[in-house]
Amino acid sequence: MRILKLAVAVLLPLALWGGHLHASGFENTGLGTTARGMGGAFRAVADDWTAAYYNPAGYAYIIDNQLGASLGLLHFRNTITPDFVAVDEFGNEYGWGIANGQEVYNFHRILNNPAGGFIVRLPFWGETVFGLSAFQPFDQSLRWRMYALDASMLRTYNEDAVGHPWVPGHHYLVDLDVAAFQLTAAREFMEGDLAIGVGLQLLRGDLWFSDLAIRANPRAEENPSIAVRPWDRVPEFVDSQGRGWGFGLRGGLLWKVSEKLNFAATAYLPLDLTIKGETFYTFIMPKEEFAVVEPNSADYLFVTGEILRQTSDFETKLKLPAQFALGVSFQATEKLMVALDGEYTLWSKYEGLSFAFSNFGSTPQFEQEFFQTDLANPVDWDNAGKVALGLRYELNPTLTLLAGGSFDQSPTRNSTELTPQFMDLGTKKSINGGGILHINQWDLGLITGYYSYPDVSLRGLTDVDDNGTFDNFPGDYKASTYETVLSLGYRF
Amino acid sequence: MLRYLILLSGILVVLAIVFGCDDRGTGITPVDLGELENWPGVDPSPSHPFTPALTLQLRNPQELLLGSAYWPPEATSVPPTHTLPLLVLLAPENGNRYYYFKAGLGELARELTASGLIQPMVIYCMANDQTFGGFFYSNSDPAGRYDSIFNSDGIPFTSGGRDDLLEYLHSHYPATIELSSKRGIGGIGQGAYGAFRAAIRNPGMFSSISVADGPLDFDGPTGSSGLISLFDDVVTEQETFYALDPDTTLDGDPIPFDFKVHFDSAGAMPVSMMFIGGSFAFSPNDTLVQYQRIIDSILQGEIWRYSMRITVNNRYRIADSLLPGGGDSTTLMTSIVKGDSPSRGLDLHFHLPFDENGALYQPIWDYWMHNNLEDMYEAAGGSPLAGVSMWFATNQNAKWGYYEMTRSWMDYLRGEGYDLEEYRHSSYSDDPITQDEHLFDVLRQMLIFHSNNFGD
């Protein structure tokens, strides 16, 4: 029990210490150096503590007790060249403060993804093997600055806002961490040929979501003279932070077809998470120095160039997708193992984040509907598949070499509602490699990986829900990701 | 071999980590305004009395030509450290001297200059009338004698030239270059008309003209459209406005609408207002008032106070010529400006070019057509716009048929052999343009056009 307490003490802070890996959508690519080094093709291998994530059934065949941890380090090197413009029938373009035409980078940040777990054979329920682990099945983190009146030559809108300390420094941001604390149990059936494992997850979701909406000036109806270009739209920055709890179930089977061939099937069924928290709003109001309007009126509010801030509570439902996967591994030679995984994630369930706001504070007295609107961006994602191929070569008792790669479909591949927060641009390809050093009972791992995304050019603003705000972010999108995973394992 | 492979892999791993981790910043590069960062940009001072050009202008007892300007820091240095081109922008009907600044001229000019998209220049913005629907920058007593203001008499402003805009501006901004190749003019709506009028009246004064849709061909492409198409709208506008007035009954019985009696100048009737302005500009009843301009001085305590009064010696009226011996023309309007403050006590009346049924009244329409750009162009003889670069912003939804009138004038100019630049743009949701929706974007293009034309 001592080791159980020790493990909980180590794993809990690790899981809560944010981390960021991703596969399609906002799914984590995985964990552990062996699995990541093999490109994620690990379901039919599943022979270390990370099987809790890939295939809980693998625990049944692990003979020794294990304690392990891994740390993924990532850098998303994404680029967007915004083309956030309206285009008239003669091809003339006009925008509202987004730095169009400039290559904009996501904020520099070395992201970390800690994970850990242990496996122990306990003297009850026969040969059942138990494990406790903490990791992040869903994860996304990107942060952008896109709005710049001085870079888009639109000081006219409100020169006072340039460099104003109340204007947020980031405008599009998602920092989503869904951490799972999983209790895993697995045992063998059919005289060692088949194993089944299940993992019960307690999920904790932490969401930080920032969005910028370029909203239609609500005074256009009443007083069109003050709602002309460039004051026809008002930027609203929405910044929401909250958290919630939920449950998930992961199950798998591992069939040893022959001495060399393994077959695996897994399923993951997370329940929706309800996230609650607080929202901060910032509005850069139009500044029209020469406009003549009634003092203390709605028009006055929309010409004096104030930077308005307000707060509210929010609640949103994070709809997490189910996933099904198959895997096969083959011990080609005494030293070489080849593994192949295929997975299918039901991303069509995810519909974007829709916020229900309440308990508004300090909302201006005029145009209250404008200041209290939910600006959710609905998305229309497709289910996505992934194929991974991995190699593991036992060079000698001290060193194991790993190599792998994957093809990963994007759930947004048919969508025109791309936004900077979720940049999954299409089928991405990864190449991974590294090794594990075995010293007595210790395993030290290091792998690195590179993810290549197709370039995407998106043109034309859309408003699919017809709420007066744009639901996409047109521009030229480029992305690549560098990943390094370190691991430490102890067998006893 | 295997060792080398492992070593090479290790190096690649390290390189991948290092390359994948460097800080690129955000990539956003703002326009550095440099010395223009805190530059005010707007100079409200260049409003000046223009005598006698504006002595009898309605609602202008101080004879002021109202204007404002954008000027870069080097514009007023004496002696000049830089030479700067000059751009004159004319406001449309109802536009004041801040019309272009309201659309962002100051910030635009600073940003475009700092980014190198335009060269530093002085931009003088002339106000239009805001009470009587705009004066078309024409040449009459009540509307102002703008032909005289634009006509350079060659007398330096400091030596007594008192109604010469260019001399005044070159004096006010010593760094401006007194070369026509470095002078441009532009305008929107009535300002577009005024820009072309000034250029036709003064060949060689400006090297570039930029305009957005305006009344550039009074009778339109067919000879019976253009402003003529709006006559009915005025009658309808007046009748509708009159019907909404609760005080149009006598002892409970409605008083029938009498066009000449009840014709009104309320700002709620924009088309009517435009024709009132035009009538003051092109068909005022007084075609020439001979007067004495007397300055009275009174010593109050230790301070001398000055006032000006006008003594009229003679008046030449259209009505007199249309109906010898005095009397009335069919469309003379006498109820708008009576002998009160707007007109220094003069009853400055005007003739509409159409009657109470909206039918064209030819004797007065002829006065208007003498001021039509085509007629003025032909009257000038030769090619008064030779060497002038011309830029047009057009929108099919421009108000009051301005689009058709503008295209008709463009067709005429092309027929005369001119090359024109056209910037076509459409409206939001294809709505009619009523509130200068696109001025910000059009203004940006105008500035770039003129800057390119000024050359190095």
Side-chain angles (χ1 to χ4, degrees), chain B residues 9-28:
Chain B
S9 301
I11 292 170
L12 287 175
V13 167
V14 171
L15 285 176
I17 293 171
V18 170
F19 179 68
C21 294
D22 68 308
D23 188 353
R24 301 177 297 172
T26 64
I28 293 179

Side-chain angles (χ1 to χ4, degrees), chain B residues 279-345:
Chain B
S279 297
F280 277 126
F282 306 132
S283 52
N285 196 28
D286 287 286
T287 56
L288 178 65
V289 178
Q290 293 180 338
Y291 60 89
Q292 278 184 294
R293 182 172 174 276
I294 302 164
I295 305 293
D296 297 313
S297 55
I298 303 170
L299 185 61
Q300 289 183 338
E302 295 181 350
I303 301 173
W304 284 95
R305 302 210 179 268
Y306 299 92
S307 62
M308 184 180 72
R309 59 192 164 91
I310 299 294
T311 300
V312 175
N313 299 329
N314 210 346
R315 305 171 79 163
Y316 298 91
R317 292 169 164 154
I318 288 179
D320 295 336
S321 60
L322 289 177
L323 297 171
D328 202 352
S329 78
T330 303
T331 62
L332 178 65
M333 289 292 162
T334 59
S335 60
I336 303 298
V337 178
K338 298 176 180 174
D340 51 19
S341 59
S343 56
R344 297 185 185 281

Side-chain angles (χ1 to χ4, degrees), chain A residues 138-433:
Chain A
F138 297 97
D139 202 338
Q140 179 79 359
S141 181
L142 278 175
R143 190 180 304 197
W144 299 87
R145 178 172 182 244
M146 291 288 187
Y147 187 82
L149 289 170
D150 50 355
S152 55
M153 298 183 67
L154 212 76
R155 283 178 169 86
T156 299
Y157 177 78
N158 183 347
E159 192 162 21
D160 296 345
V162 177
H164 195 289
W166 286 12
V167 176
H170 61 262
H171 310 136
Y172 293 90
L173 175 150
V174 65
D175 196 343
L176 170 66
D177 299 310
V178 177
F181 306 96
Q182 180 173 314
L183 179 64
T184 306
R187 64 173 296 171
E188 295 179 44
F189 296 91
M190 296 169 61
E191 297 179 348
D193 288 340
L194 179 71
I196 295 177
V198 293
L200 181 63
Q201 294 181 340
L202 173 65
L203 299 175
R204 148 111 179 208
D206 285 87
L207 175 67
W208 182 11
F209 189 79
S210 298
D211 204 10
L212 165 60
I214 307 289
R215 303 189 57 194
N217 188 325
R219 301 306 299 162
E221 286 285 319
E222 294 287 328
N223 188 356
S225 69
I226 64 167
V228 298
R229 285 270 300 138
W231 303 288
D232 58 329
R233 287 186 174 268
V234 179
E236 174 182 353
F237 302 85
V238 186
D239 193 85
S240 303
Q241 295 185 51
R243 61 192 58 84
W245 295 87
F247 296 95
L249 185 66
R250 192 182 288 273
L253 66 82
L254 186 59
W255 178 27
K256 290 186 177 295
V257 180
S258 69
E259 217 172 86
K260 294 183 176 179
L261 183 66
N262 287 0
F263 173 79
T266 64
Y268 180 43
L269 304 168
L271 302 180
D272 297 343
L273 294 185
T274 299
I275 308 274
K276 295 179 180 179
E278 193 171 13
T279 299
F280 301 86
Y281 308 80
T282 306
F283 297 85
I284 301 179
M285 303 304 287
K287 184 178 182 185
E288 300 182 52
E289 210 172 340
F290 299 97
V292 180
V293 299
E294 283 286 317
N296 194 30
S297 65
D299 285 343
Y300 190 75
L301 182 65
F302 282 81
V303 301
T304 46
E306 285 188 72
I307 312 295
L308 295 180
R309 296 199 292 189
Q310 66 175 23
T311 59
S312 80
D313 295 335
F314 83 90
E315 182 176 319
T316 187
K317 188 153 285 201
L318 181 62
K319 296 184 176 178
L320 300 173
Q323 184 188 80
F324 304 94
L326 299 173
V328 60
S329 68
F330 181 68
Q331 190 70 46
T333 68
E334 190 182 339
K335 293 185 174 183
L336 178 66
M337 175 179 280
V338 182
L340 179 69
D341 274 21
E343 65 181 52
Y344 192 68
T345 308
L346 305 182
W347 280 112
S348 58
K349 183 186 175 191
Y350 179 69
E351 297 171 343
L353 295 170
S354 182
F355 294 89
F357 299 113
S358 60
N359 195 22
F360 280 94
S362 63
T363 300
Q365 68 180 105
F366 301 105
E367 299 284 1
Q368 292 212 330
E369 190 182 341
F370 173 82
F371 290 105
Q372 297 185 0
T373 306
D374 174 18
L375 301 172
N377 290 327
V379 300
D380 185 16
W381 287 10
D382 296 321
N383 298 334
K386 176 183 176 182
V387 177
L389 178 68
L391 304 172
R392 183 169 72 178
Y393 188 75
E394 310 281 354
L395 181 66
N396 55 47
T398 309
L399 182 62
T400 299
L401 298 179
L402 304 161
S406 64
F407 292 86
D408 194 353
Q409 230 177 6
S410 165
T412 65
R413 60 190 179 278
N414 295 318
S415 173
T416 57
E417 278 73 58
L418 268 183
T419 63
Q421 290 100 335
F422 294 101
M423 276 186 65
D424 197 354
L425 303 179
T427 301
K428 58 183 167 289
K429 300 160 197 161
S430 80
I431 181 166
N432 311 66

Side-chain angles (χ1 to χ4, degrees), chain A residues 18-218:
Chain A
H20 314 84
L21 286 168
H22 73 156
S24 67
F26 46 85
E27 182 197 358
N28 191 337
T29 21
L31 51 139
T33 44
T34 305
R36 296 304 314 127
M38 297 176 74
F42 195 65
R43 285 177 176 81
V45 181
D47 58 357
D48 67 21
W49 67 271
T50 63
Y53 176 85
Y54 290 96
N55 185 357
Y59 274 26
Y61 296 120
I62 297 174
I63 299 167
D64 46 11
N65 298 326
Q66 289 187 13
L67 181 62
S70 70
L71 176 65
L73 299 168
L74 275 95
H75 194 202
F76 297 120
R77 294 179 69 83
N78 297 350
T79 302
I80 300 176
T81 305
D83 190 40
F84 198 95
V85 295
V87 184
D88 73 11
E89 64 179 294
F90 300 107
N92 304 305
E93 297 179 343
Y94 49 94
W96 297 276
I98 301 293
N100 290 314
Q102 298 201 19
E103 271 206 340
V104 182
Y105 308 126
N106 59 306
F107 277 37
H108 174 75
R109 192 177 173 198
I110 306 297
L111 307 173
N112 54 76
N113 183 283
F118 75 92
I119 304 168
V120 61
R121 285 180 176 272
L122 295 177
F124 47 85
W125 290 341
E127 294 297 316
T128 304
V129 180
F130 292 91
L132 187 64
S133 49
F135 51 84
Q136 294 185 330
F138 297 97
D139 202 338
Q140 179 79 359
S141 181
L142 278 175
R143 190 180 304 197
W144 299 87
R145 178 172 182 244
M146 291 288 187
Y147 187 82
L149 289 170
D150 50 355
S152 55
M153 298 183 67
L154 212 76
R155 283 178 169 86
T156 299
Y157 177 78
N158 183 347
E159 192 162 21
D160 296 345
V162 177
H164 195 289
W166 286 12
V167 176
H170 61 262
H171 310 136
Y172 293 90
L173 175 150
V174 65
D175 196 343
L176 170 66
D177 299 310
V178 177
F181 306 96
Q182 180 173 314
L183 179 64
T184 306
R187 64 173 296 171
E188 295 179 44
F189 296 91
M190 296 169 61
E191 297 179 348
D193 288 340
L194 179 71
I196 295 177
V198 293
L200 181 63
Q201 294 181 340
L202 173 65
L203 299 175
R204 148 111 179 208
D206 285 87
L207 175 67
W208 182 11
F209 189 79
S210 298
D211 204 10
L212 165 60
I214 307 289
R215 303 189 57 194
N217 188 325

